[in-house]
Amino acid sequence: LDSCLWRPIVATGGADRHVHIWNYWDKRIEIRQAFDDDVIDVSLHPCGLQLLVCFRNVGVSLCSILVERLKVIGEFKIEGCRSCQFSQGGQYFAVVYKAFAQIYNSYTGKLVCRIRGHSMDIQSLCWKSGDHRVCTIGEDGVACIWDVPTGEKIAKLVDPMCKFSFGDTSPDFNHGVIVTSDGMIRTVDMEKMCFETEVDPQCLSIDQIAASNSASLLFMGISTKSKPGAIRVMEVNQSSSSSLNKREWQCHSKQMTCMKVSKDRKFVFTASEDGSVCMFRIRYADLKAQDSTGYGQELASIASFSDEVFVARKSLEEKTEQIKMLRHKMEEFRLDAEHQLRSKDICHEETLERMENIFQTKMTASRTRHENLINDKQQSAVTRALDIEQMETKHAAQFSHLKKTHEEKMESEAKRYEIFCRERDERRADWDRENKRLVEEQTSFLQELAAKYNDKMAAEKQLQETIAKEMEALSAKSATDNELMEEDADYEFEAVRQKYEAKLASEKENTTRLREEYDDMKDKYTSLVTNLDGEKKRVETLLKKQEHIRQVLKEKEDIIAAKKEEVRERDEMVAKKEEEIQEFERKNQDLKRFKQQLNEKIKELRQRLEPRELELSKLTTQCHELEIELHQSINHNDALKLNNNELRLKIAAINKEIKKQENQIDVKKAAISSLQNDILAVINGATTTTSSSPTDENREENTDYGTLKSSLFPLFKKYSGDGGGASVAGRAVTVVAAGDENDSHNVVTDSNTGVATACRRQRQHLLKNIENIKTVSAKMDRGHIVDVTKLQREKGILIKELNDLRRESKYLEHQEREMLEKCRDESLMVFRDGGDDIGDSSSMLAGPLIEDGLPIADSYYSVDDSASEELR
């Protein structure tokens, strides 16, 4: 990454083999260009017009920055180069490879000097303002200052205990900063070439570092687990090993790969592995204290950049030609627009005059209509007053009638209400007496049943207690008996057994009797429960009857409430009727006032209409002029239609003539081909070949000139009737006849070989004549094709003109309709009462003014299609 001084651009090179030129003032990419090798480093010339690109395998390329691309103007093949950098003034540039560096002249490309003095790779290279000093910082823990023209070492700083990772210096070489391998930051006094302070950055690792003018502000790219791509700004005290202020910003999501401070020390640019470029503006708190070199004073105002760019001659010539063409087109468009505007102004003036006339007529009609409406209004006011009097009498009679009926209904409803109240009181007393009697009967019955049940339960308990006592006595007796039986078991066994069995039987009978009594009591209890359920059901029915009676009472009360509501509504209706009567009286008074106001407004309108009569007269004259313009446009369109029909007829006649010429050419071609075939047949019939064998190459051709001559005469007679064919055939026969006379003389005087050579010559002559005829016919065909193409071009031009005329007529129609609509809107705004008549008239005028529009369109498309087919 690198920036320049004269232009607001930044150059970046990435692992995708692309170089980008960014405009950070407009925040956009100006140039993006791909290369065939990996881009390691880039450096911009201070003027921003040249770029150094360092590649992995190729070396270094010097490029010119054009408007839309990069142009390579020089290549320097250096193996293992790691970085490149222009000087502060731009007259030199340095290329670093391994532990060496080479400095070249930027304008001539010649090698100025070589730098050799490091035992390990050079990590950073810094130029001094003035371009006569350069500082190199090596991995071997050595920092050197070199003289540029000579390449001699001026000063040296060595730290054998640690290695240098990278560093930076101020432009005036007063102060510098170096990052060591143990992560410490050391400030350097470049004049004395010694370490000043050592600062602990208190971070895990430093990826990049850059210094301000006085090296008091350090910009570091740090990476931690929480902030992998953060930038830290640290203010360093030159006299102590402590940092005064620290501020951090998280700007990247991955490790920072490069950082540059702009040449004017106003911006800091950073780039990262995440593919993003960030820009920070530097704002100094105290400009005079921070910048002694004058850069701080320039920061007070926004930088003014240069607008110069490199442009290729070819592209500039193309641009100038395009500009000339565009200017020519603009001039044509301007003239065309001025012509159209003049024509439109004339048309609009005529349409306005015509529309003013129409508007005047409409205004007179609307004035008469307005007077008629005033008369109708007066009549309606008289009729309305009579109607109001009739309505008042009618409403008074209705009100008295309603009042009487309402009083009668109120008396009847009051009597009904008293009867309902008496019935309700009687039913409530009966229901209370019946309910009290039922409750008393139920409670007495339940008490009797409870007493009976308690008595039976007490008897049962006594029986159970006696049975338990007897069982205990029997168990005691059985125990004594057992003791006696043990003493005398054989003697008393039977007696005791019999006795015990008798008692056991009696006990069984007692238990069965008790069980039967228990079942009887259980049945009685269930019957009592069922009786209680019946009583409960009876009570529920009585409760339901009570609820029904309550519901009936509620319904009666609701009916009474509804009646009361009806009475109240009727009272409200009566009150509303009285209010309506009062409102009618108020409205009558308001109408009287409104009538007075209308009379006053009518007077005011009459006073306002008087000064507008002049305007109406002007508008009528304008409407008249618009009508005249419309008639002229209609006549112009009719003339265009006639011209269009004439052009169609001309095109049809030209097409017929072309077809006629094509037919004549086909006839001539057929005559020529038949003449060629007949001549070849005559020659082939008159010539015979003789050879010793079928495969012999030395063949002899014998010509019978008598038969040739006799066969040419009927051929001449055959083609003598046709004009073109007769001339050709006549020439052929005369030539052949002349050849026959010569040949006959040769037959007499010479041998057969002379005859054969003469026949060949004659045949060649005939073939040449046929070729000449072919060339003449081909030339005629070409001329015919040229004429046809010319006619087709003229036809296309005529069709284009017709289309333009048609578009112009449509445009005129559209303009007329728009003018009519505008005039109609204005008339509606002035007099809204006469809007319907004006709308009808404007719609009639805005209709189709040019008839037979569709046939023109159909003929246009048909002509265009035929022309396109002929051109194919």
Side-chain angles (χ1 to χ4, degrees):
L1 181 146
D2 198 9
S3 64
C4 65
L5 184 62
W6 289 8
R7 295 178 64 192
I9 58 173
V10 175
T12 59
D16 56 352
R17 297 185 175 183
H18 281 75
V19 173
H20 293 74
I21 305 296
W22 308 75
N23 190 323
Y24 59 83
W25 209 252
D26 297 335
K27 297 179 178 61
R28 62 184 177 87
I29 296 176
E30 288 189 352
I31 298 171
R32 183 174 186 264
Q33 188 163 334
F35 291 94
D36 297 332
D37 199 359
D38 295 336
V39 179
I40 297 174
D41 194 10
V42 293
S43 180
L44 273 170
H45 196 274
C47 66
L49 300 177
Q50 290 182 342
L51 177 70
L52 273 175
V53 184
C54 182
F55 297 102
R56 188 181 299 277
N57 300 318
V58 177
V60 179
S61 295
L62 181 62
C63 303
S64 291
I65 301 174
L66 303 180
V67 178
E68 296 178 350
R69 62 187 179 89
L70 299 176
K71 183 180 179 181
V72 179
I73 58 174
E75 292 183 351
F76 304 91
K77 294 184 179 180
I78 301 170
E79 294 182 357
C81 58
R82 297 178 67 252
S83 65
C84 58
Q85 188 174 358
F86 274 105
S87 62
Q88 297 286 338
Q91 60 178 335
Y92 302 116
F93 66 86
V95 179
V96 177
Y97 60 98
K98 296 181 181 179
F100 310 101
Q102 292 182 356
I103 296 173
Y104 293 87
N105 192 321
S106 302
Y107 305 113
T108 61
K110 293 182 179 180
L111 181 65
V112 177
C113 63
R114 287 187 176 89
I115 294 172
R116 296 177 182 176
H118 292 277
S119 60
M120 298 180 72
D121 293 345
I122 296 172
Q123 298 294 328
S124 299
L125 187 141
C126 304
W127 284 90
K128 186 180 179 181
S129 56
D131 299 350
H132 60 281
R133 296 284 188 274
V134 67
C135 178
T136 57
I137 300 169
E139 192 179 359
D140 54 356
V142 177
C144 300
I145 298 175
W146 309 82
D147 184 44
V148 171
T150 59
E152 295 179 357
K153 189 186 295 182
I154 298 172
K156 183 177 181 182
L157 177 65
V158 180
D159 187 0
M161 301 302 294
C162 60
K163 298 180 180 180
F164 294 162
S165 298
F166 43 82
D168 194 11
T169 62
S170 60
D172 55 0
F173 268 33
N174 290 329
H175 301 280
V177 61
I178 296 173
V179 179
T180 59
S181 59
D182 55 357
M184 300 298 289
I185 299 172
R186 294 185 179 183
T187 59
V188 181
D189 187 354
M190 301 297 290
E191 294 179 353
K192 298 178 182 179
M193 212 58 184
C194 63
F195 292 112
E196 289 181 342
T197 58
E198 186 175 2
V199 180
D200 188 3
Q202 297 177 1
C203 57
L204 294 177
S205 62
I206 301 173
D207 300 326
Q208 298 292 330
I209 194 167
S212 64
N213 292 330
S214 60
S216 59
L217 280 180
L218 299 181
F219 306 97
M220 296 180 290
I222 62 172
S223 60
T224 60
K225 291 182 179 180
S226 60
K227 297 179 180 180
I231 182 171
R232 175 183 288 182
V233 180
M234 182 186 293
E235 187 178 356
V236 179
N237 191 356
Q238 302 290 343
S239 61
S240 64
S241 61
S242 63
S243 59
L244 299 177
N245 294 317
K246 295 179 185 177
R247 293 189 68 183
E248 290 185 7
W249 291 271
Q250 179 68 35
C251 55
H252 297 286
S253 61
K254 291 187 179 180
Q255 185 179 0
M256 196 179 294
T257 55
C258 48
M259 176 191 293
K260 287 284 182 180
V261 180
S262 61
K263 306 292 184 183
D264 54 359
R265 304 292 167 171
K266 294 180 183 179
F267 300 100
V268 177
F269 302 98
T270 62
S272 172
E273 292 179 354
D274 57 1
S276 63
V277 178
C278 294
M279 180 181 73
F280 295 88
R281 185 188 291 275
I282 303 172
R283 292 189 177 94
Y284 295 97
D286 187 3
L287 301 177
K288 293 181 180 179
Q290 293 288 341
D291 293 70
S292 60
T293 58
Y295 286 95
Q297 296 176 0
E298 294 178 2
L299 284 170
S301 61
I302 298 173
S304 59
F305 296 105
S306 175
D307 294 333
E308 296 178 358
V309 291
F310 277 146
V311 181
R313 187 186 296 277
K314 187 176 180 181
S315 63
L316 188 62
E317 290 174 355
E318 290 176 355
K319 293 288 183 183
T320 52
E321 289 178 359
Q322 290 178 1
I323 289 165
K324 286 179 182 178
M325 290 174 66
L326 290 171
R327 283 178 180 172
H328 183 65
K329 287 182 180 179
M330 282 295 294
E331 189 66 24
E332 290 179 354
F333 287 143
R334 188 178 62 77
L335 294 172
D336 191 8
E338 288 178 356
H339 176 68
Q340 289 180 1
L341 287 170
R342 283 195 295 271
S343 62
K344 286 177 185 177
D345 290 335
I346 294 165
C347 294
H348 291 327
E349 288 174 358
E350 293 176 356
T351 51
L352 280 171
E353 290 176 357
R354 188 171 62 254
M355 291 303 294
E356 283 176 357
N357 294 325
I358 294 167
F359 186 68
Q360 183 66 31
T361 56
K362 296 298 177 183
M363 285 296 293
T364 54
S366 63
R367 191 181 292 112
T368 55
R369 187 178 176 188
H370 183 66
E371 291 174 356
N372 294 326
L373 286 170
I374 289 167
N375 295 325
D376 294 335
K377 187 176 181 181
Q378 291 175 357
Q379 293 176 2
S380 63
V382 174
T383 55
R384 183 172 180 79
L386 295 172
D387 292 334
I388 287 166
E389 290 177 358
Q390 292 176 2
M391 288 293 290
E392 285 177 353
T393 55
K394 187 177 179 181
H395 283 304
Q398 288 179 357
F399 178 71
S400 61
H401 179 69
L402 288 170
K403 192 174 182 181
K404 288 177 182 178
T405 54
H406 178 64
E407 288 175 355
E408 291 175 357
K409 286 183 179 179
M410 285 293 290
E411 290 176 358
S412 62
E413 289 295 331
K415 291 177 181 179
R416 261 179 95 188
Y417 179 70
E418 290 175 356
I419 292 164
F420 280 129
C421 288
R422 286 195 214 99
E423 289 178 357
R424 185 190 63 184
D425 295 335
E426 290 175 358
R427 286 183 181 179
R428 278 182 181 176
D430 294 337
W431 185 79
D432 291 334
R433 286 194 296 273
E434 186 69 24
N435 190 13
K436 188 175 181 182
R437 185 180 63 77
L438 289 171
V439 169
E440 289 175 355
E441 288 178 358
Q442 187 177 6
T443 52
S444 63
F445 182 72
L446 288 170
Q447 287 175 1
E448 289 176 359
L449 286 174
K452 288 179 182 179
Y453 182 73
N454 290 326
D455 294 337
K456 287 181 181 181
M457 288 296 291
E460 285 292 330
K461 284 182 180 180
Q462 289 176 2
L463 286 172
Q464 287 178 1
E465 287 175 357
T466 54
I467 288 166
K469 289 178 182 179
E470 287 179 358
M471 286 293 289
E472 289 177 357
L474 287 172
S475 62
K477 286 180 182 180
S478 64
T480 56
D481 290 336
N482 285 326
E483 288 177 357
L484 292 171
M485 283 174 68
E486 285 178 358
E487 292 177 357
D488 195 4
D490 293 331
Y491 179 75
E492 294 179 354
F493 180 77
E494 287 293 333
V496 173
R497 184 174 62 79
Q498 291 176 359
K499 187 179 179 180
Y500 183 75
E501 285 178 356
K503 287 181 179 181
L504 185 60
S506 64
E507 289 292 330
K508 283 182 181 180
E509 288 176 357
N510 290 324
T511 53
T512 53
R513 182 175 59 78
L514 289 170
R515 282 180 181 175
E516 289 175 358
E517 288 178 357
Y518 178 73
D519 292 332
D520 293 334
M521 292 296 290
K522 192 175 182 181
D523 294 333
K524 289 178 181 179
Y525 178 74
T526 53
S527 64
L528 288 170
V529 170
T530 53
N531 290 326
L532 285 171
D533 292 335
E535 291 295 329
K536 285 180 181 179
K537 288 179 180 178
R538 186 182 171 193
V539 171
E540 287 175 359
T541 54
L542 290 171
L543 291 171
K544 286 180 181 178
K545 286 180 181 179
Q546 185 181 359
E547 190 68 27
H548 179 66
I549 290 163
R550 285 179 181 174
Q551 288 178 358
V552 171
L553 289 171
K554 283 181 181 179
E555 288 176 358
K556 295 294 183 181
E557 288 174 357
D558 293 333
I559 290 165
I560 291 162
K563 294 295 182 182
K564 287 181 180 179
E565 188 68 25
E566 287 179 0
V567 171
R568 189 178 60 77
E569 288 176 357
R570 286 175 183 175
D571 292 331
E572 289 176 357
M573 284 175 67
V574 171
K576 285 180 181 178
K577 291 291 183 182
E578 291 175 356
E579 289 177 357
E580 286 176 358
I581 289 162
Q582 291 176 1
E583 285 180 0
F584 280 125
E585 290 175 357
R586 290 171 190 167
K587 285 181 180 178
N588 192 4
Q589 293 175 1
D590 293 331
L591 285 170
K592 288 178 182 178
R593 293 172 188 168
F594 184 68
K595 185 178 179 182
Q596 293 176 0
Q597 291 177 1
L598 280 175
N599 291 325
E600 291 175 359
K601 286 184 179 179
I602 287 163
K603 290 178 181 178
E604 290 177 359
L605 287 170
R606 284 176 181 173
Q607 292 175 0
R608 289 180 184 176
L609 284 171
E610 288 174 359
R612 289 194 179 181
E613 287 179 356
L614 296 171
E615 294 178 0
L616 290 172
S617 62
K618 289 180 182 179
L619 290 172
T620 51
T621 54
Q622 288 179 1
C623 291
H624 183 65
E625 290 175 357
L626 289 171
E627 285 180 353
I628 293 166
E629 184 182 358
L630 180 61
H631 288 300
Q632 289 178 359
S633 63
I634 290 166
N635 295 326
H636 183 64
N637 288 326
D638 293 334
L640 289 174
K641 285 181 185 178
L642 293 172
N643 291 327
N644 191 5
N645 293 325
E646 289 177 0
L647 291 171
R648 285 184 198 161
L649 293 172
K650 285 180 182 180
I651 289 163
I654 289 164
N655 288 327
K656 287 180 182 178
E657 188 176 354
I658 289 164
K659 287 181 181 178
K660 188 175 180 182
Q661 289 180 3
E662 287 178 352
N663 293 327
Q664 288 178 4
I665 289 164
D666 292 335
V667 170
K668 287 179 182 180
K669 284 182 179 179
I672 290 164
S673 63
S674 64
L675 179 62
Q676 287 177 357
N677 293 327
D678 292 336
I679 290 168
L680 289 173
V682 168
I683 291 168
N684 290 326
T687 58
T688 59
T689 58
T690 59
S691 61
S692 60
S693 64
T695 61
D696 191 4
E697 295 179 355
N698 298 320
R699 295 178 181 178
E700 294 181 359
E701 294 181 355
N702 296 321
T703 305
D704 190 358
Y705 295 100
T707 57
L708 181 63
K709 187 175 180 179
S710 61
S711 59
L712 282 172
F713 282 110
L715 188 65
F716 176 74
K717 289 177 181 179
K718 180 180 178 182
Y719 291 100
S720 63
D722 196 1
S727 63
V728 176
R731 286 196 299 271
V733 170
T734 54
V735 170
V736 172
D740 289 338
E741 290 175 0
N742 293 324
D743 291 336
S744 63
H745 181 70
N746 289 326
V747 167
V748 175
T749 57
D750 297 328
S751 62
N752 290 326
T753 58
V755 173
T757 55
C759 184
R760 289 193 188 94
R761 287 173 186 169
Q762 189 65 30
R763 187 174 180 182
Q764 289 175 359
H765 181 69
L766 290 171
L767 292 172
K768 286 180 181 178
N769 287 330
I770 291 164
E771 289 177 356
N772 290 326
I773 290 164
K774 285 181 179 180
T775 54
V776 170
S777 64
K779 287 179 181 179
M780 289 173 71
D781 290 336
R782 289 194 202 96
H784 176 67
I785 290 165
V786 169
D787 293 334
V788 169
T789 54
K790 188 176 180 181
L791 290 170
Q792 287 174 354
R793 287 173 188 167
E794 291 176 355
K795 192 190 292 184
I797 292 163
L798 291 171
I799 289 162
K800 190 175 180 182
E801 289 178 355
L802 286 171
N803 293 332
D804 294 335
L805 291 170
R806 182 170 169 272
R807 290 192 193 97
E808 188 174 358
S809 65
K810 284 188 176 180
Y811 180 74
L812 290 170
E813 288 177 6
H814 183 65
Q815 291 293 327
E816 287 172 2
R817 287 175 185 171
E818 286 183 353
M819 290 299 298
L820 289 169
E821 288 177 359
K822 286 180 181 178
C823 293
R824 183 179 64 183
D825 293 337
E826 290 176 358
S827 63
L828 286 169
M829 289 172 69
V830 175
F831 291 101
R832 294 183 180 177
D833 294 334
D836 298 332
D837 296 336
I838 293 167
D840 296 334
S841 64
S842 63
S843 63
M844 289 171 66
L845 289 169
L849 298 172
I850 297 172
E851 296 179 353
D852 298 331
L854 284 171
I856 291 172
D858 296 336
S859 65
Y860 158 66
Y861 285 115
S862 63
V863 170
D864 200 359
D865 294 335
S866 63
S868 62
E869 289 177 0
E870 288 175 5
L871 284 168
R872 290 195 198 95

